[in-house]
Amino acid sequence: MPLNRRKFLKRSAATGAGVALAGAATAPAEAVSVELPVKAPKRYSLTVMGTTDLHGHVFNWDYFKDADYADTAGNAQGLARISTLVNQVRKEKGRANTLLLDAGDTIQGTPLTYYYAKVDPITAKGGPVHPMAQAMNAIGYDAVALGNHEFNYGIETLRKFEEQCHFPLLGANALDATTLRPAFPPYFIKKFRVKGAPPVKVAVLGLTNPGIAIWDKAYVQGKLTFPGLEEQAAKWVPKLRSMGADVVVVSAHSGSSGTSSYGDQLPYVENSAALVAQQVPGIDAILVGHAHVEIPELKVTNTATGKTVVLSEPLCYAERLTLFDIELVFSKGRWTVESVAASLRNSNTVADDPKITKLLEDEHATVVEYVNQVVGTATQTLTTVDARYKDAPIIDLITKVQEDVVKAAVAGTSYASLPVIAQASPFSRTSEIPAGEVTIRDLSSLYVYDNTLVAKVLTGAQVRAYLEYSAQYFVQTAAGATVDVEKLTNAGGRPDYNYDYVSGLSYDIDIAQAAGSRIKNLTFQGAALDDAQQFVLAVNNYRANGGGAFPHVASATEIWSESTEIRTRIAEWVTAKGVLDPADFASVDWKLTREGTPVF
């Protein structure tokens, strides 16, 4: 009788032994089916780590305060901390089973990055290697998506930084304006070896923010174009899958809210990461950037496939590290993602990696010395503590500098006879210029962005509309109601940097009224504002190009612009004066009221 692998004769009940002898009288044999153990499928665990919006933070140091960084939440910052966390994860998971990504905004944001872009620029012949390139190379980043702030210092600086990095800068939707071909690598692919099975092929698609076309128009117009994230992901993800990608991760410098700060000025969504997950099949995980919010894990269902896409955004400034733990199984000749889970690790739980400290201690010391240079003397302390809701002299300093620079720039032109007014925002709630010696550090803390100055021509009617839009920043508060300054501002989630003072005018903001009807008693040189009067508005390039979606300014006639940062102009102004005296720049141009009664 032939032997079947899955069937065996039942032992004889009479003999209790083996197979019956030939010819012996036996009971009929009974066949029993027994399944052999099925070989378990091959499995693989991959961990993708991610940071975003590092903004030049290498150490847990506040250059504006000349001290260790500290906040009320106990957060810590800096790539030196991230390096320690990354080392821990690599030890836990095995370095060969990990990938390290970033979602952009790397080379702008601190005096450290400013110094190596402008003071000792990396673009100079024989110039230094950018500290962020040094740190990220040492930590071992695999790929980084382009952020919008990568373009703040111009394309030459960005290209030099790219050259210094040992990893690709990805931007599938950063296209050459002439050829419409990618100007940067669209994707990065890495294979992970698995014993006894084919390698796992991981593709990383990099996407940047369409708002670059507005915010850095001066640098990119006619050179680069930035289509929407959704359409470019829909183009590239199928290609990556056809190339054999088992896992597709997107590193997107775009928030998840589905909103845009620039209104309808672009046909593309600014914060579209969740829309990408929802609309484009074939994505497993998205590292989110740009919004500066903490999202440990967000699950989005793809409408075409019904599959879950996992998103995560680590807190900015290297305060958090995202971990995507991806489980794969090898079945029917291919690897399949079985599950994705996201979590965060906190930089405040570890110390700086001494390797990074040693690597960049000289650059750090150089910048500390630079920002502590004394450029003048202040007659009194100036602060932004209440600048959101009171006309503060420290903000008047910004508008005065801008007025003076623009007046000098248009002198001798056909616009010289027009009055110059200026806008400025209360960027920081903690900036202070102390009485006594004034340093570059003090002035830099007042103007934390690398904005430059532009001059635009607006009519009185357009200025009024501009002010009404700005006044939407305040929460409507009835006359007689208790005023809580902590709840008075940021209506609708509007950030402080999208509330503008405008100098050279006098006006009240009646917060008892509905948005759009709040500007009262608007005058110029003591008379009611003439809607037909023309003004030259000294405005930062972010606002001039449409940032914040303020009305009229983006489309207004531009008569002058420059590439020198406004913070540099402030330092030059103070240096030339020698003495910083509010009598030279302060004025009460606006106040909050409720039905005619001042709030403060």
Side-chain angles (χ1 to χ4, degrees):
M1 178 179 179
L3 182 65
N4 189 299
R5 291 180 63 190
R6 293 181 178 265
K7 296 182 179 179
F8 297 87
L9 293 177
K10 188 177 181 181
R11 295 187 177 192
S12 167
T15 63
V19 180
L21 295 174
T26 63
E30 207 174 286
V32 177
S33 178
V34 179
E35 293 292 329
L36 286 177
V38 178
K39 189 176 181 181
K42 279 283 182 183
R43 309 186 70 83
Y44 182 68
S45 298
L46 170 72
T47 297
V48 178
M49 297 175 282
T51 54
T52 191
D53 296 277
L54 299 172
H55 284 287
H57 289 79
V58 172
F59 298 121
N60 189 52
W61 186 259
D62 188 333
Y63 290 97
F64 301 130
K65 290 184 169 58
D66 200 26
D68 287 332
Y69 174 79
D71 64 17
T72 56
N75 289 310
Q77 301 179 340
L79 276 173
R81 301 285 182 108
I82 288 294
S83 184
T84 302
L85 288 176
V86 167
N87 290 339
Q88 289 181 349
V89 174
R90 286 172 174 163
K91 185 175 181 180
E92 293 169 17
K93 312 286 186 178
R95 178 161 187 156
N97 304 317
T98 64
L99 194 67
L100 179 58
L101 309 175
D102 184 83
D105 275 6
T106 303
I107 60 170
Q108 177 278 337
T110 63
L112 180 76
T113 50
Y114 176 79
Y115 186 88
Y116 288 100
K118 292 291 188 177
V119 182
D120 185 11
I122 61 173
T123 52
K125 186 176 181 180
V129 177
H130 200 289
M132 294 300 286
Q134 292 188 58
M136 297 175 85
N137 289 340
I139 295 169
Y141 274 79
D142 292 287
V144 171
L146 290 167
N148 53 283
H149 284 288
E150 260 64 85
F151 295 84
N152 285 174
Y153 298 118
I155 294 174
E156 182 187 7
T157 297
L158 174 54
R159 287 300 191 189
K160 187 62 179 181
F161 175 70
E162 180 185 32
E163 178 187 313
Q164 294 176 342
C165 292
H166 298 167
F167 47 83
L169 300 182
L170 306 179
N173 62 327
L175 310 181
D176 182 282
T178 302
T179 66
L180 298 184
R181 295 173 63 86
F184 294 85
Y187 61 86
F188 164 81
I189 292 178
K190 186 172 183 177
K191 292 181 180 180
F192 293 82
R193 294 181 180 178
V194 183
K195 188 176 181 181
V200 172
K201 197 173 184 179
V202 180
V204 179
L205 179 68
L207 296 169
T208 192
N209 205 286
I212 296 166
I214 289 176
W215 304 320
D216 278 302
K217 180 180 177 181
Y219 290 126
V220 302
Q221 188 174 36
K223 298 176 182 177
L224 298 172
T225 186
F226 303 88
L229 283 81
E230 303 98 310
E231 68 173 63
Q232 292 302 301
K235 172 184 175 180
W236 285 102
V237 172
K239 289 184 179 181
L240 296 175
R241 288 293 184 182
S242 70
M243 292 164 64
D246 302 302
V247 181
V248 173
V249 178
V250 175
S251 183
H253 193 76
S254 178
S256 61
S257 66
T259 61
S260 298
S261 67
Y262 39 70
D264 60 0
Q265 294 178 83
L266 291 175
Y268 313 115
V269 178
E270 177 182 352
N271 296 299
S272 65
L275 296 174
V276 171
Q278 185 182 68
Q279 297 176 15
V280 182
I283 298 170
D284 297 299
I286 301 180
L287 176 64
V288 179
H290 183 62
H292 291 210
V293 298
E294 181 174 327
I295 304 175
E297 183 180 68
L298 173 64
K299 295 182 178 180
V300 176
T301 301
N302 183 269
T303 54
T305 65
K307 292 185 177 180
T308 298
V309 184
V310 177
L311 286 68
S312 180
E313 181 174 4
L315 202 56
C316 54
Y317 310 145
E319 293 183 7
R320 304 287 187 274
L321 176 71
T322 279
L323 271 64
F324 292 106
D325 288 306
I326 303 173
E327 298 295 328
L328 296 101
V329 60
F330 189 72
S331 178
K332 298 180 181 179
R334 62 187 295 265
W335 287 104
T336 302
V337 173
E338 190 173 67
S339 66
V340 180
S343 59
L344 297 175
R345 296 203 179 181
N346 197 325
S347 294
N348 70 6
T349 62
V350 297
D352 287 357
D353 182 346
K355 178 179 73 174
I356 304 302
T357 302
K358 184 176 180 180
L359 179 68
L360 292 169
E361 58 187 355
D362 290 345
E363 288 85 345
H364 172 67
T366 296
V367 175
V368 169
E369 182 180 1
Y370 164 73
V371 298
N372 281 289
Q373 291 180 74
V374 175
V375 294
T377 304
T379 60
Q380 65 184 68
T381 297
L382 303 171
T383 176
T384 58
V385 169
D386 57 4
R388 290 169 295 142
Y389 45 86
K390 292 182 182 179
D391 190 340
I394 196 169
I395 307 300
D396 294 337
L397 171 62
I398 301 173
T399 58
K400 174 60 175 173
V401 171
Q402 294 181 168
E403 285 178 12
D404 285 359
V405 171
V406 168
K407 284 176 181 176
V410 301
T413 73
S414 59
Y415 298 99
S417 62
L418 296 182
V420 175
I421 58 178
Q423 64 79 225
S425 303
F427 295 129
S428 168
R429 299 187 180 190
T430 59
S431 179
E432 180 178 290
I433 299 175
E437 292 185 338
V438 177
T439 65
I440 289 176
R441 169 170 57 84
D442 299 323
L443 300 176
S444 296
S445 74
L446 171 60
Y447 210 107
V448 296
Y449 298 104
D450 295 317
N451 293 338
T452 57
L453 200 52
V454 178
K456 296 258 189 169
V457 177
L458 271 69
T459 66
Q462 291 172 330
V463 171
R464 186 189 303 275
Y466 188 103
L467 291 171
E468 284 287 7
Y469 181 84
S470 184
Q472 294 177 16
Y473 171 74
F474 297 100
V475 174
Q476 188 172 5
T477 308
T482 301
V483 175
D484 180 350
V485 295
E486 297 306 317
K487 298 178 180 178
L488 184 62
T489 62
N490 307 98
R494 180 182 291 198
D496 298 342
Y497 60 76
N498 277 338
Y499 169 61
D500 282 2
Y501 288 38
V502 175
S503 69
L505 305 170
S506 177
Y507 57 97
D508 298 340
I509 302 173
D510 190 337
I511 58 174
Q513 306 305 315
S517 303
R518 292 178 172 174
I519 301 301
K520 310 295 183 183
N521 304 318
L522 177 56
T523 63
F524 172 64
Q525 294 183 344
L529 183 71
D530 180 356
D531 284 351
Q533 168 77 59
Q534 285 191 315
F535 295 90
V536 174
L537 177 67
V539 58
N540 70 55
N541 66 301
Y542 172 80
R543 188 73 77 238
N545 292 333
F550 277 61
H552 306 300
V553 65
S555 58
T557 299
E558 181 177 311
I559 60 172
W560 175 84
S561 66
E562 68 170 349
S563 60
T564 301
E565 291 79 8
I566 293 170
R567 75 153 69 94
T568 299
R569 290 301 193 187
I570 295 171
E572 290 172 347
W573 192 92
V574 174
T575 302
K577 290 282 186 181
V579 176
L580 189 60
D581 185 347
D584 294 331
F585 55 82
S587 61
V588 179
D589 297 318
W590 63 272
K591 64 180 180 294
L592 297 185
T593 64
R594 288 184 294 180
E595 297 182 357
T597 302
V599 175
F600 302 106

